[in-house]
Amino acid sequence: ISKHSADTAEAVVDAGAVMILNQLVGHHDAYLKRQVCQCLSNIAKHSQGLAETVVGAELFPKILYRLKDMDESVRRLSAGVIK
């Protein structure tokens, strides 16, 4: 949902999803980590303000650890969040 427009991404942020996603970044399930990273990346891409919200959610260094994840897709998607 957060990839469609800045308005929907803002609604996702307003619902408190970033804090929940932040907690799930370190989950053991690779599929879940891929979805979390994709969602965070989609939120951050819409505007500087939304990107700052993602960064301000104390996502670092947790997202940096995903760059060494066993799953290649998790590594790629976590790099997209950092970008």
Side-chain angles (χ1 to χ4, degrees):
I1 244 177
S2 61
K3 72 179 181 178
H4 297 297
S5 71
D7 292 335
T8 56
E10 186 71 42
V12 169
V13 170
D14 290 344
V18 173
M19 296 308 291
I20 295 168
L21 293 169
N22 183 18
Q23 295 171 356
L24 295 173
V25 167
H27 198 273
H28 67 276
D29 183 35
Y31 178 77
L32 180 59
K33 288 185 286 190
R34 284 187 293 241
Q35 297 303 312
V36 167
C37 289
Q38 184 68 53
C39 187
L40 289 168
S41 180
N42 285 335
I43 290 169
K45 75 178 182 180
H46 288 292
S47 71
Q48 182 71 28
L50 289 171
E52 289 174 4
T53 300
V54 170
V55 171
E58 300 178 6
L59 189 63
F60 295 90
K62 288 187 243 180
I63 197 72
L64 295 175
Y65 293 131
R66 300 292 60 90
L67 293 173
K68 291 185 175 184
D69 199 272
M70 293 177 64
D71 188 278
E72 181 181 345
S73 294
V74 172
R75 292 192 305 263
R76 180 180 50 82
L77 291 166
S78 64
V81 174
I82 296 166
K83 181 175 111 175

